[in-house]
Amino acid sequence: MQKCDILVRNVRVLTPQYDIADDQYIAICDNKIVAVGNDSQCLFASDTVIRGNGKLAMPGLVDSHVHACQYLLRGRLADEYPMVWTRILVPFESSLTERECYISGKLTYLQQIKSGITTGIEAGGNHMHSVAEAAIESGIRAVLTRSTMDQGAFIPASWQQTANECISRTEALYRDYNGAGDGRLQVWYAMRQIMSCSPALLEAIAARSAELGVGVHAHLAEHKDEISYCLQNFKKRPIEVLEQFGLANERLVCAHNVLLSERDMDLLAQCGARLCHCPRANLGNHGIPKTPALLNRGISIGIGSDGASGCNLDLFEELRLLRFTVQASQGLAIFDPVVLTIKELLNMLIWGGARAARMEDRIGRIQEGYLADIILINVMQPHIWPTSSLINVLVEGVRASDVTDSIINGKVVMRNREVLTLDEEKILHDAETYRQEIFSRINV
Ligand SMILES: [Zn+2]
């Protein structure tokens, strides 16, 4: 018998080919998966054994676009008319203190872990040192970015930054937190959106991100004003502007990607950018993406929650929403009942997420040598079982709340839906206290 740190036994496993292997074991040493195989042939022993009977083990999910600093806005954005950005988001986010961002970060990571998310990619927030501390404590894997912008109307003085300040603040975050939390944290550059970044800032982000070899996360092709700004100022579309400034490359990870022309999609494919859709947020503001056309070009697409906009972080729900809206808009139009297959959708959720985090060689597979980021789903429930195809039901019926256990970087962070790293009761109490304080202070 060989000793390992965590041993999951008698569990169904989602294979890298998106099939189900029954009655498997998964052995974890340190932060890696060291063996997967038939349980009857398991030669491992461990002090921490998780019984997987009635459960499915799958790679932990990647929330490819989340705003950890917007969490205390929950419930405040429904039925609002434009401009939500200027009337609510800017006054709210710009007023947050370090402590409030820390609590907001903890609430986000608590909810992410309870939703089966093991990696969160931050869209860019305030006081990210505080959010980084929250990420380290929670045990989650995270890509952190700062909200980066040096131009635009309606930005209060407290939030205005020069291009140099934008760069130096991200570099301070990189210096202090890249690789922190036993390697769980990455720090990247961000562009809030093209219209919020001056040409000098775009040039600096391109140069410094290349030197450090880190990703650049951006909102792209999200709304009409952005396209209009690019056409007016550069006579180019957004992706062409990024190309001009040396930002259209394989380190670009862009969210939304709805308003794309055929040529835009070709350029995204050529430059190797990684995309992520935020289906619910897109439907409210921007429309339905041309997902089949993007996939046909070989572009990788992950799924993001866009944070507070939808109140929950259920990426299974986001995937279903994408499936049905794309089917209704692009399948019905050509009488094609299968414009996105179940395996294409699963591949977006898992592989597309791993690619969005720029970690596809380390996460997104339950396979020997990969990092131990694994979630267990309780299959023995009437909305899932019995089924002729668990793969199909994974997309059609499983919910975030069906996730019972979560292992991140080889540590058990949730057991039977109890998050072991965070004090849920205290976080909810503190978050409500700070929420009241923020709304008594700002006028939105
Ligand atoms: Zn966003």
Side-chain angles (χ1 to χ4, degrees), residues 94-110:
S94 63
S95 83
L96 294 176
T97 64
E98 282 193 31
R99 182 74 193 162
E100 286 156 359
C101 287
Y102 171 72
I103 296 298
S104 187
K106 278 186 133 177
L107 183 61
T108 304
Y109 298 131
L110 173 68

Side-chain angles (χ1 to χ4, degrees), residues 114-294:
K114 294 194 85 168
S115 304
I117 293 159
T118 52
T119 300
I121 304 178
E122 170 61 39
N126 238 346
H127 303 302
M128 290 306 295
H129 278 68
S130 306
V131 176
E133 291 296 332
I136 290 173
E137 282 177 50
S138 73
I140 203 159
R141 197 179 293 289
V143 173
L144 301 178
T145 62
R146 290 193 78 261
S147 178
T148 304
M149 47 187 182
D150 68 337
Q151 67 177 23
F154 317 111
I155 306 294
S158 63
W159 220 19
Q160 279 171 12
Q161 305 163 46
T162 65
N164 280 340
E165 283 166 349
C166 289
I167 296 296
S168 64
R169 287 175 190 177
T170 291
E171 307 226 338
L173 188 68
Y174 178 87
R175 209 172 44 240
D176 295 341
Y177 288 103
N178 190 58
D182 299 321
R184 284 182 286 112
L185 267 53
Q186 295 183 63
V187 176
W188 294 359
Y189 277 93
M191 289 173 276
R192 190 83 191 211
Q193 52 181 338
I194 294 174
M195 56 200 283
S196 313
C197 298
S198 69
L201 179 55
L202 294 176
E203 270 170 20
I205 291 172
R208 286 303 293 151
S209 63
E211 279 169 43
L212 296 176
V214 298
V216 177
H217 194 48
H219 295 83
L220 189 78
E222 185 185 4
H223 55 82
K224 284 185 204 154
D225 290 346
E226 173 199 347
I227 314 274
S228 178
Y229 169 86
C230 291
L231 292 173
Q232 281 178 39
N233 289 276
F234 301 98
K235 297 194 167 41
K236 291 180 175 178
R237 294 182 61 81
I239 183 65
E240 295 171 314
V241 174
L242 294 187
E243 195 180 34
Q244 175 183 333
F245 288 98
L247 284 156
N249 55 49
E250 74 293 338
R251 285 181 295 99
L252 176 66
V253 178
C254 42
H256 299 298
N257 318 287
V258 178
L259 304 177
L260 297 172
S261 69
E262 293 291 317
R263 185 172 143 70
D264 293 343
M265 291 191 279
D266 289 341
L267 287 173
L268 282 167
Q270 280 162 24
C271 76
R274 292 137 192 243
L275 273 50
C276 100
H277 289 331
C278 305
R280 188 167 19 195
N282 290 347
L283 274 181
N285 295 302
H286 330 300
I288 301 167
K290 301 181 184 82
T291 312
L294 291 164

Side-chain angles (χ1 to χ4, degrees), residues 13-18 24-28 31-37 57-59 351 360-374:
V13 169
L14 181 68
T15 71
Q17 294 73 38
Y18 305 120
Q24 301 284 295
Y25 75 90
I26 306 167
I28 296 165
N31 65 346
K32 288 208 175 74
I33 298 166
V34 292
V36 185
M58 66 181 284
W351 183 241
E360 65 270 25
D361 55 339
R362 286 164 285 163
I363 62 169
R365 282 172 178 236
I366 298 187
Q367 184 176 304
E368 186 188 329
Y370 274 67
L371 290 168
D373 288 10
I374 298 168

Side-chain angles (χ1 to χ4, degrees), residues 409-439:
N409 210 36
K411 297 272 185 316
V412 181
V413 296
M414 181 168 74
R415 193 82 183 90
N416 298 320
R417 289 205 64 70
E418 186 192 347
V419 177
L420 306 177
T421 47
L422 296 169
D423 183 340
E424 179 165 345
E425 207 176 312
K426 181 165 167 36
I427 291 171
L428 297 188
H429 175 270
D430 289 352
E432 170 57 5
T433 306
Y434 283 104
R435 190 195 64 78
Q436 286 181 16
E437 209 170 288
I438 295 164
F439 284 98

Side-chain angles (χ1 to χ4, degrees), residues 367-384:
Q367 184 176 304
E368 186 188 329
Y370 274 67
L371 290 168
D373 288 10
I374 298 168
I375 56 173
L376 300 187
I377 289 170
N378 178 8
V379 171
M380 291 301 149
Q381 301 185 82
H383 65 285
I384 302 176

